[in-house]
Amino acid sequence: DTLDRIKKLIANQHFISYSSPIKLVDDLRNFKLKKNVHSSGKQFDITFISNENDRTKAEESQLLINDIFRINPLYINYSEGLDYEAICSISILNSDLCVVFSKNATEWAIHFSQQIWKLIGGASSQIPILVVFDKKTVSETDVLLDIPNVYTLFTEDALVGLEIKMFYEKNVVKQT
């Protein structure tokens, strides 16, 4: 009986040690958001995000991995007036991997990746973000993304699905 009471008390306690109050508040917000999201029961392998301008190529890339992964596609179109920060962060926190795809919207993909990285917990997030660029339209020297747990991939259209599959198998640890 006493052991059960102790287990109930410990189950909802979190012990923390932060040198910065800003980091503490950021992690508390992230924890609260994760707790609310996972209660929905939905789970995706990949949240696949692209700009509306790249939608056709993004859909083609998703077709190659649709049979392997449970994908939640999101196409960002700011003219619709939706709160994409909330939509994306909830979807990403309900996934094992976030893919930001860019065929022609390089600057958008860079800034968007940085923004969602902050929203899902920054350096404390355990969800990797893979930013995929078309190597015909952008070179590796044009993109500087030096952020923890954010990876860049430069590939050809035909190889996007295969590259994502290989990245997933190598870098994503399935949580059971």
Side-chain angles (χ1 to χ4, degrees):
D1 188 40
T2 305
L3 186 59
D4 289 335
R5 281 190 272 168
I6 292 172
K7 285 181 182 179
K8 286 179 185 177
L9 283 173
I10 293 174
N12 292 319
Q13 290 184 0
H14 300 278
F15 299 97
I16 54 175
S17 171
Y18 290 98
S19 58
S20 164
I22 295 170
K23 176 82 171 124
L24 169 65
V25 170
D26 187 42
D27 280 357
L28 287 173
R29 284 185 188 142
N30 185 40
F31 176 76
K32 184 177 179 184
L33 184 58
K34 278 185 182 179
K35 188 174 179 181
N36 291 340
V37 170
H38 288 295
S39 65
S40 70
K42 285 190 170 183
Q43 186 69 22
F44 301 103
D45 295 318
I46 299 172
T47 293
F48 199 105
I49 303 171
S50 76
N51 189 302
E52 184 66 32
N53 298 334
D54 292 329
R55 183 180 189 137
T56 304
K57 287 294 180 186
E59 288 174 341
E60 289 173 12
S61 299
Q62 290 169 38
L63 284 175
L64 301 171
I65 56 175
N66 245 354
D67 294 338
I68 303 168
F69 300 110
R70 293 168 295 160
I71 298 174
N72 183 26
L74 297 172
Y75 306 103
I76 308 301
N77 183 354
Y78 291 108
S79 64
E80 292 178 355
L82 297 174
D83 183 3
Y84 284 108
E85 288 183 356
I87 294 169
C88 289
S89 60
I90 289 170
S91 180
I92 293 166
L93 291 171
N94 214 9
S95 301
D96 295 323
L97 170 66
C98 172
V99 173
V100 177
F101 176 82
S102 172
K103 170 77 175 165
N104 298 308
T106 304
E107 288 298 317
W108 171 84
I110 293 169
H111 295 293
F112 191 79
S113 301
Q114 294 168 339
Q115 183 180 8
I116 61 172
W117 176 79
K118 291 176 188 174
L119 290 172
I120 65 168
S124 66
S125 176
Q126 296 189 7
I127 301 165
I129 299 173
L130 177 63
V131 188
V132 180
F133 298 99
D134 182 354
K135 74 180 196 179
K136 291 180 185 173
T137 59
V138 65
S139 71
E140 292 183 37
T141 57
D142 296 334
V143 176
L144 179 62
L145 271 174
D146 188 21
I147 304 171
N149 219 16
V150 176
Y151 304 88
T152 54
L153 172 65
F154 299 85
T155 189
E156 298 174 14
D157 286 345
L159 299 176
V160 171
L162 178 62
E163 294 281 1
I164 291 172
K165 180 183 181 297
M166 289 173 29
F167 179 88
Y168 189 94
E169 289 172 351
K170 182 179 178 184
N171 296 292
V172 177
V173 177
K174 295 294 273 182
Q175 297 172 356
T176 55

